Amino acid sequence: MSVQSSKLKPKLPSQLKRQAGQGMTEYIIIVALVAVAAIAVYQYLGQVLRAQTAAVAKELAGEDGTQQSRAAQSAAESAATQAAAKSLKDFTGQSQGAAR
């Protein structure tokens, strides 16, 4: 009977707070990781996003957004060439050179 009564024993308030705090900490870590990823993507594609937003704003205002669309296209091409120029080998090669 003592085994069954220990299973039915209610949790102490301190145990409930600790579990809720752990869940909140995990949530904060996940939100922080998503924020860092969003910042990295925006830094990488910032010019493209700004130019596309400007083109959409011009078009919605009834003006010609061709110039902004071309700027977005050239920024996208520039980002693609920068991405193709660097790989993980570039970063590992620097660390090996520094260790020597």
Side-chain angles (χ1 to χ4, degrees), residues 81-98:
T81 57
Q82 287 177 4
K86 290 187 178 180
S87 69
L88 188 58
K89 289 182 181 180
D90 296 330
F91 299 108
T92 57
Q94 291 176 358
S95 65
Q96 289 174 353

